[in-house]
Amino acid sequence: MAEEEEESKMKKKKVEIFDTEEELAVSLARKLKEPPYVCSLDWSKWHVFWLDERVVPKSHPDSNYKLAFDGFLSYVPIPVENVYAINDALPAEGAAEDYENCVRQLVTKKVMPLSTITGFPAFDLMLLGMGPDGHVASLFPGHPLLNENERWVTYIKDSPKPPPERITFTFPVINSSKYLAVVVAGLGEVEAVRKVLGSGDGDGHDSRLPAGMVSAEGELTWFLDKDAASKL
């Protein structure tokens, strides 16, 4: 049974490799903020969340919200009420609870569907990065949060990567997504890419790393540049 499940996950997984980081970025919709695309999309249908967020003010350089706002959100007309940043006035535990309540309210209002398979929220698209240690979102190797299977959003106060306090979606939510894109560029994560995606040489696919635990109810695609894929 376990082998059948693993085979099914692999069938849903695609890997796309680009010559440069720039080509990868363009393929991931960087041009959406430029004409003619920015004028042709119905931005009112977009609802934007953060898979994980550092518990810092929104203006802080470490804020994922600030990164997204400066690089994308400030260029496109997504309604302000459809952009769901964390409440940065709350401590980590309270921010996680507040964020989960926000998602639950959208489920109640029929804005967000639930997966018919897992019963967890089914996002249309999730965009993930990966760290050199194979972590995704704020789910780190060997951390107890990897086994959280009830909460939708949880928190961490001892992140091995600063800043230490963060909130994060849990794996049941991540893996209920209709489409998942994992994006990795550069040589910094090349060993983790090899461990998660490699096969056939005795030390390939490693499902113990958080990135190896990622799956999707719909489709999972890894977007890599040549450097990140150089050991596959």
PDB file of all heavy atoms in Angstrom, residues 10 13 191-206 231-232:
ATOM      1  N   MET A  10       4.505  10.250  -7.123  1.00  0.00           N
ATOM      2  CA  MET A  10       5.517  10.517  -8.132  1.00  0.00           C
ATOM      3  C   MET A  10       4.878  10.836  -9.481  1.00  0.00           C
ATOM      4  O   MET A  10       5.391  11.644 -10.247  1.00  0.00           O
ATOM      5  CB  MET A  10       6.467   9.318  -8.258  1.00  0.00           C
ATOM      6  CG  MET A  10       7.318   9.059  -7.013  1.00  0.00           C
ATOM      7  SD  MET A  10       8.337  10.492  -6.536  1.00  0.00           S
ATOM      8  CE  MET A  10       9.538  10.480  -7.863  1.00  0.00           C
ATOM      9  N   LYS A  13       4.014  14.394  -9.758  1.00  0.00           N
ATOM     10  CA  LYS A  13       5.144  15.305  -9.606  1.00  0.00           C
ATOM     11  C   LYS A  13       5.830  15.532 -10.946  1.00  0.00           C
ATOM     12  O   LYS A  13       6.144  14.601 -11.662  1.00  0.00           O
ATOM     13  CB  LYS A  13       6.137  14.736  -8.604  1.00  0.00           C
ATOM     14  CG  LYS A  13       7.346  15.633  -8.327  1.00  0.00           C
ATOM     15  CD  LYS A  13       8.381  14.930  -7.485  1.00  0.00           C
ATOM     16  CE  LYS A  13       7.846  14.527  -6.141  1.00  0.00           C
ATOM     17  NZ  LYS A  13       8.855  13.841  -5.318  1.00  0.00           N
ATOM     18  N   GLU A 191      22.284  20.210  -2.780  1.00  0.00           N
ATOM     19  CA  GLU A 191      22.324  18.913  -2.098  1.00  0.00           C
ATOM     20  C   GLU A 191      20.936  18.501  -1.633  1.00  0.00           C
ATOM     21  O   GLU A 191      20.562  17.320  -1.718  1.00  0.00           O
ATOM     22  CB  GLU A 191      23.287  18.961  -0.908  1.00  0.00           C
ATOM     23  CG  GLU A 191      24.748  18.868  -1.298  1.00  0.00           C
ATOM     24  CD  GLU A 191      25.082  17.561  -1.995  1.00  0.00           C
ATOM     25  OE1 GLU A 191      24.450  16.531  -1.679  1.00  0.00           O
ATOM     26  OE2 GLU A 191      25.971  17.557  -2.864  1.00  0.00           O
ATOM     27  N   ALA A 192      20.161  19.455  -1.150  1.00  0.00           N
ATOM     28  CA  ALA A 192      18.797  19.132  -0.723  1.00  0.00           C
ATOM     29  C   ALA A 192      17.948  18.712  -1.915  1.00  0.00           C
ATOM     30  O   ALA A 192      17.137  17.786  -1.824  1.00  0.00           O
ATOM     31  CB  ALA A 192      18.169  20.334  -0.012  1.00  0.00           C
ATOM     32  N   VAL A 193      18.126  19.374  -3.064  1.00  0.00           N
ATOM     33  CA  VAL A 193      17.412  18.979  -4.279  1.00  0.00           C
ATOM     34  C   VAL A 193      17.776  17.549  -4.658  1.00  0.00           C
ATOM     35  O   VAL A 193      16.906  16.735  -5.006  1.00  0.00           O
ATOM     36  CB  VAL A 193      17.738  19.941  -5.446  1.00  0.00           C
ATOM     37  CG1 VAL A 193      17.194  19.393  -6.769  1.00  0.00           C
ATOM     38  CG2 VAL A 193      17.155  21.319  -5.180  1.00  0.00           C
ATOM     39  N   ARG A 194      19.057  17.227  -4.576  1.00  0.00           N
ATOM     40  CA  ARG A 194      19.495  15.862  -4.919  1.00  0.00           C
ATOM     41  C   ARG A 194      18.863  14.842  -3.984  1.00  0.00           C
ATOM     42  O   ARG A 194      18.385  13.794  -4.441  1.00  0.00           O
ATOM     43  CB  ARG A 194      21.025  15.760  -4.820  1.00  0.00           C
ATOM     44  CG  ARG A 194      21.567  14.358  -5.137  1.00  0.00           C
ATOM     45  CD  ARG A 194      23.060  14.274  -4.865  1.00  0.00           C
ATOM     46  NE  ARG A 194      23.364  14.445  -3.447  1.00  0.00           N
ATOM     47  CZ  ARG A 194      23.234  13.496  -2.526  1.00  0.00           C
ATOM     48  NH1 ARG A 194      22.804  12.285  -2.859  1.00  0.00           N
ATOM     49  NH2 ARG A 194      23.545  13.741  -1.269  1.00  0.00           N
ATOM     50  N   LYS A 195      18.817  15.164  -2.698  1.00  0.00           N
ATOM     51  CA  LYS A 195      18.256  14.215  -1.738  1.00  0.00           C
ATOM     52  C   LYS A 195      16.758  14.007  -1.928  1.00  0.00           C
ATOM     53  O   LYS A 195      16.250  12.904  -1.746  1.00  0.00           O
ATOM     54  CB  LYS A 195      18.533  14.695  -0.313  1.00  0.00           C
ATOM     55  CG  LYS A 195      19.992  14.605   0.103  1.00  0.00           C
ATOM     56  CD  LYS A 195      20.203  15.157   1.500  1.00  0.00           C
ATOM     57  CE  LYS A 195      21.668  15.084   1.908  1.00  0.00           C
ATOM     58  NZ  LYS A 195      21.882  15.665   3.267  1.00  0.00           N
ATOM     59  N   VAL A 196      16.054  15.078  -2.301  1.00  0.00           N
ATOM     60  CA  VAL A 196      14.596  14.980  -2.415  1.00  0.00           C
ATOM     61  C   VAL A 196      14.159  14.415  -3.766  1.00  0.00           C
ATOM     62  O   VAL A 196      13.236  13.602  -3.841  1.00  0.00           O
ATOM     63  CB  VAL A 196      13.942  16.363  -2.194  1.00  0.00           C
ATOM     64  CG1 VAL A 196      12.446  16.302  -2.467  1.00  0.00           C
ATOM     65  CG2 VAL A 196      14.191  16.837  -0.768  1.00  0.00           C
ATOM     66  N   LEU A 197      14.859  14.815  -4.832  1.00  0.00           N
ATOM     67  CA  LEU A 197      14.411  14.436  -6.172  1.00  0.00           C
ATOM     68  C   LEU A 197      15.270  13.371  -6.838  1.00  0.00           C
ATOM     69  O   LEU A 197      14.857  12.791  -7.847  1.00  0.00           O
ATOM     70  CB  LEU A 197      14.377  15.671  -7.083  1.00  0.00           C
ATOM     71  CG  LEU A 197      13.374  16.751  -6.711  1.00  0.00           C
ATOM     72  CD1 LEU A 197      13.470  17.917  -7.700  1.00  0.00           C
ATOM     73  CD2 LEU A 197      11.957  16.206  -6.687  1.00  0.00           C
ATOM     74  N   GLY A 198      16.471  13.117  -6.298  1.00  0.00           N
ATOM     75  CA  GLY A 198      17.349  12.126  -6.914  1.00  0.00           C
ATOM     76  C   GLY A 198      16.781  10.723  -6.799  1.00  0.00           C
ATOM     77  O   GLY A 198      15.954  10.427  -5.954  1.00  0.00           O
ATOM     78  N   SER A 199      17.224   9.847  -7.678  1.00  0.00           N
ATOM     79  CA  SER A 199      16.754   8.454  -7.644  1.00  0.00           C
ATOM     80  C   SER A 199      17.728   7.580  -8.397  1.00  0.00           C
ATOM     81  O   SER A 199      18.465   8.028  -9.275  1.00  0.00           O
ATOM     82  CB  SER A 199      15.361   8.328  -8.282  1.00  0.00           C
ATOM     83  OG  SER A 199      15.395   8.715  -9.637  1.00  0.00           O
ATOM     84  N   GLY A 200      17.734   6.319  -8.022  1.00  0.00           N
ATOM     85  CA  GLY A 200      18.474   5.331  -8.789  1.00  0.00           C
ATOM     86  C   GLY A 200      19.940   5.177  -8.449  1.00  0.00           C
ATOM     87  O   GLY A 200      20.636   4.368  -9.032  1.00  0.00           O
ATOM     88  N   ASP A 201      20.469   5.931  -7.478  1.00  0.00           N
ATOM     89  CA  ASP A 201      21.899   5.806  -7.161  1.00  0.00           C
ATOM     90  C   ASP A 201      22.130   5.388  -5.717  1.00  0.00           C
ATOM     91  O   ASP A 201      23.223   5.488  -5.197  1.00  0.00           O
ATOM     92  CB  ASP A 201      22.629   7.126  -7.451  1.00  0.00           C
ATOM     93  CG  ASP A 201      22.063   8.300  -6.654  1.00  0.00           C
ATOM     94  OD1 ASP A 201      21.116   8.063  -5.880  1.00  0.00           O
ATOM     95  OD2 ASP A 201      22.571   9.416  -6.814  1.00  0.00           O
ATOM     96  N   GLY A 202      21.074   4.969  -5.064  1.00  0.00           N
ATOM     97  CA  GLY A 202      21.228   4.463  -3.701  1.00  0.00           C
ATOM     98  C   GLY A 202      21.078   5.516  -2.639  1.00  0.00           C
ATOM     99  O   GLY A 202      20.844   5.209  -1.484  1.00  0.00           O
ATOM    100  N   ASP A 203      21.223   6.795  -3.003  1.00  0.00           N
ATOM    101  CA  ASP A 203      21.044   7.845  -1.997  1.00  0.00           C
ATOM    102  C   ASP A 203      20.194   8.971  -2.565  1.00  0.00           C
ATOM    103  O   ASP A 203      20.467  10.143  -2.366  1.00  0.00           O
ATOM    104  CB  ASP A 203      22.397   8.378  -1.510  1.00  0.00           C
ATOM    105  CG  ASP A 203      23.174   9.052  -2.632  1.00  0.00           C
ATOM    106  OD1 ASP A 203      22.813   8.861  -3.815  1.00  0.00           O
ATOM    107  OD2 ASP A 203      24.125   9.765  -2.312  1.00  0.00           O
ATOM    108  N   GLY A 204      19.142   8.589  -3.266  1.00  0.00           N
ATOM    109  CA  GLY A 204      18.282   9.567  -3.921  1.00  0.00           C
ATOM    110  C   GLY A 204      17.152  10.033  -3.048  1.00  0.00           C
ATOM    111  O   GLY A 204      17.356  10.550  -1.966  1.00  0.00           O
ATOM    112  N   HIS A 205      15.919   9.826  -3.492  1.00  0.00           N
ATOM    113  CA  HIS A 205      14.732  10.398  -2.864  1.00  0.00           C
ATOM    114  C   HIS A 205      14.701  10.186  -1.353  1.00  0.00           C
ATOM    115  O   HIS A 205      14.771   9.063  -0.870  1.00  0.00           O
ATOM    116  CB  HIS A 205      13.485   9.784  -3.497  1.00  0.00           C
ATOM    117  CG  HIS A 205      12.218  10.287  -2.904  1.00  0.00           C
ATOM    118  ND1 HIS A 205      11.788  11.590  -3.066  1.00  0.00           N
ATOM    119  CD2 HIS A 205      11.292   9.678  -2.146  1.00  0.00           C
ATOM    120  CE1 HIS A 205      10.648  11.739  -2.434  1.00  0.00           C
ATOM    121  NE2 HIS A 205      10.316  10.611  -1.866  1.00  0.00           N
ATOM    122  N   ASP A 206      14.617  11.292  -0.621  1.00  0.00           N
ATOM    123  CA  ASP A 206      14.616  11.253   0.840  1.00  0.00           C
ATOM    124  C   ASP A 206      13.325  11.900   1.340  1.00  0.00           C
ATOM    125  O   ASP A 206      13.207  13.120   1.408  1.00  0.00           O
ATOM    126  CB  ASP A 206      15.832  12.003   1.388  1.00  0.00           C
ATOM    127  CG  ASP A 206      15.989  11.811   2.893  1.00  0.00           C
ATOM    128  OD1 ASP A 206      15.029  11.348   3.538  1.00  0.00           O
ATOM    129  OD2 ASP A 206      17.061  12.128   3.422  1.00  0.00           O
ATOM    130  N   LYS A 231      22.961  18.316  -9.701  1.00  0.00           N
ATOM    131  CA  LYS A 231      23.339  17.001  -9.163  1.00  0.00           C
ATOM    132  C   LYS A 231      22.252  15.946  -9.340  1.00  0.00           C
ATOM    133  O   LYS A 231      22.331  14.864  -8.777  1.00  0.00           O
ATOM    134  CB  LYS A 231      23.739  17.116  -7.699  1.00  0.00           C
ATOM    135  CG  LYS A 231      25.044  17.868  -7.482  1.00  0.00           C
ATOM    136  CD  LYS A 231      25.614  17.654  -6.103  1.00  0.00           C
ATOM    137  CE  LYS A 231      26.969  18.335  -5.950  1.00  0.00           C
ATOM    138  NZ  LYS A 231      27.551  18.109  -4.597  1.00  0.00           N
ATOM    139  N   LEU A 232      21.252  16.257 -10.144  1.00  0.00           N
ATOM    140  CA  LEU A 232      20.216  15.262 -10.417  1.00  0.00           C
ATOM    141  C   LEU A 232      20.679  14.309 -11.515  1.00  0.00           C
ATOM    142  O   LEU A 232      21.412  14.689 -12.414  1.00  0.00           O
ATOM    143  CB  LEU A 232      18.915  15.950 -10.843  1.00  0.00           C
ATOM    144  CG  LEU A 232      18.202  16.765  -9.764  1.00  0.00           C
ATOM    145  CD1 LEU A 232      16.926  17.381 -10.330  1.00  0.00           C
ATOM    146  CD2 LEU A 232      17.845  15.880  -8.569  1.00  0.00           C
TER     147      LEU A 232
END
